[in-house]
Amino acid sequence: MTRLTPDLIEGVPDDTIDLDSKLMKMCGKTVKQIALEGAGVDHDVDFSKVRVAVIPITSGMGVIGGFSQSVDAIVKRLGMQSYVTKGTDVNGFSQAINDGVDMIMMADDAMFVAYNVHAARSTNNSWGTAMGYAVALKNAAGGVKGKDVLVIGAGLVGTEAVQILKSWGANVSVTDIKFEKAKALEEKFGVKALQDVESALSSHKYILNAAPAIFPGRLIMEGAVVSTPGVPHYFDEEGRKKAKAIIHDPLEIGTAMMAVNSALFTMKQ
Ligand code: 2YJ
């Protein structure tokens, strides 16, 4: 998992990238609507009674400037109540529990979770990112059933994405610079492992990129829909011209997906 940096997420608290307008244009859905669809809900939900604590975690490489504030802002945009705990780590956890919150969100270098306190269930960011970006891809592509979809990256997010897209009836291929990782997913989930990343990319219109890779525009198919959580994120002018949609944000789609899924564990529908 790539570590986020303050500059990557600096636009998140104030939403300077205006993510909802961009997503509406590409997918016809807002972040919240994408997250609800990913959680299997087909109507709007009022989350205003859900109380969330975001705990800064200092272990490993430590606190990332703006990370907790970004998560807090994302959760508030979904209509939930949220705050960043004053204390960090176990101290912050203790504060959240004493405050009686419904959900705790926290991340270290390896794991980012939304924990529903009442259900005692956690939703992790790998699944949230894969599901959020798969829903965005599905909407931007006008459905994926029977379509060839390429997943780039056979790591945690890619592995989740492969299973989700396959369950929706897509013909899923997967590629990774370490071919044996793609091959392992072929064996486990019955998808197709492709060894040549460049030819896989240039022969697919629908792509979920779960790798920290940078793709030259000459490899992007005309009219391609690329759902791309991977950071660093960069598409050159040729790539941006050729693609019909390039769906990306550094944190919000995956985080919103986690929060909505977690909240719904203990909400009547
Ligand atoms: O609390 C903090 O500020 C830090 N401990 C946050 C650490 C955030 N974690 C990462 O950046 C992970 N490597 C990946 C997060 C996944 C986002 N898609």
Side-chain angles (χ1 to χ4, degrees):
M1 231 180 329
T2 315
R3 183 172 164 87
L4 294 168
T5 53
D7 58 308
L8 279 172
I9 54 175
E10 71 181 357
V12 179
D14 296 329
D15 191 24
T16 54
I17 64 169
D18 194 9
L19 187 59
D20 271 344
S21 310
K22 286 199 177 132
L23 289 175
M24 278 306 288
K25 270 190 215 131
M26 293 185 287
C27 321
K29 288 211 153 109
T30 62
V31 177
K32 185 180 178 190
Q33 288 168 334
I34 286 171
L36 285 166
E37 184 178 331
V41 174
D42 63 1
H43 53 84
D44 194 27
V45 174
D46 176 5
F47 289 116
S48 61
K49 291 202 167 55
V50 179
R51 288 161 310 143
V52 182
V54 184
I55 306 174
I57 299 294
T58 66
S59 77
M61 294 175 75
V63 163
I64 298 172
F67 180 81
S68 294
Q69 293 68 25
S70 295
V71 173
D72 177 60
I74 291 165
V75 168
K76 284 195 174 101
R77 283 199 275 277
L78 295 168
M80 299 179 191
Q81 299 172 43
S82 174
Y83 69 99
V84 178
T85 57
K86 279 202 181 71
T88 65
D89 307 289
V90 179
N91 194 15
F93 181 80
S94 168
Q95 184 190 337
I97 296 297
N98 286 337
D99 288 346
V101 299
D102 304 304
M103 191 196 304
I104 288 170
M105 298 190 78
M106 56 187 169
D108 65 12
D109 299 340
M111 187 66 81
F112 176 19
V113 294
Y115 181 71
N116 181 314
V117 176
H118 313 295
R121 285 177 75 177
S122 97
T123 303
N124 74 63
N125 184 256
S126 300
W127 176 84
T129 303
M131 180 56 90
Y133 277 84
V135 170
L137 176 69
K138 181 168 86 170
N139 281 277
V144 291
K145 195 170 181 186
K147 292 182 182 165
D148 294 337
V149 179
L150 176 68
V151 174
I152 302 174
L156 295 171
V157 175
T159 301
E160 296 283 358
V162 157
Q163 295 170 77
I164 292 164
L165 290 162
K166 185 161 191 243
S167 76
W168 293 344
N171 304 318
V172 181
S173 294
V174 58
T175 188
D176 194 289
I177 43 169
K178 290 185 184 152
F179 182 58
E180 65 276 12
K181 287 179 75 181
K183 200 74 194 155
L185 296 190
E186 177 177 88
E187 276 152 31
K188 195 158 178 202
F189 302 116
V191 295
K192 199 168 166 199
L194 300 176
Q195 187 149 20
D196 184 338
V197 179
E198 290 207 353
S199 88
L201 184 62
S202 57
S203 61
H204 280 83
K205 198 167 177 180
Y206 304 113
I207 296 164
L208 196 150
N209 171 37
I214 289 171
F215 304 110
R218 66 182 165 82
L219 298 174
I220 307 278
M221 210 189 237
E222 201 70 51
V225 176
V226 192
S227 200
T228 178
V231 284
H233 169 81
Y234 177 77
F235 283 81
D236 61 23
E237 209 182 316
E238 187 183 352
R240 278 186 272 116
K241 256 193 206 138
K242 282 158 101 180
K244 185 176 152 216
I246 297 175
I247 302 153
H248 174 77
D249 84 278
L251 187 65
E252 184 146 358
I253 295 173
T255 301
M257 186 68 249
M258 294 161 70
V260 164
N261 191 67
S262 182
L264 289 170
F265 285 146
T266 41
M267 286 177 76
K268 282 204 189 83
Q269 289 313 301

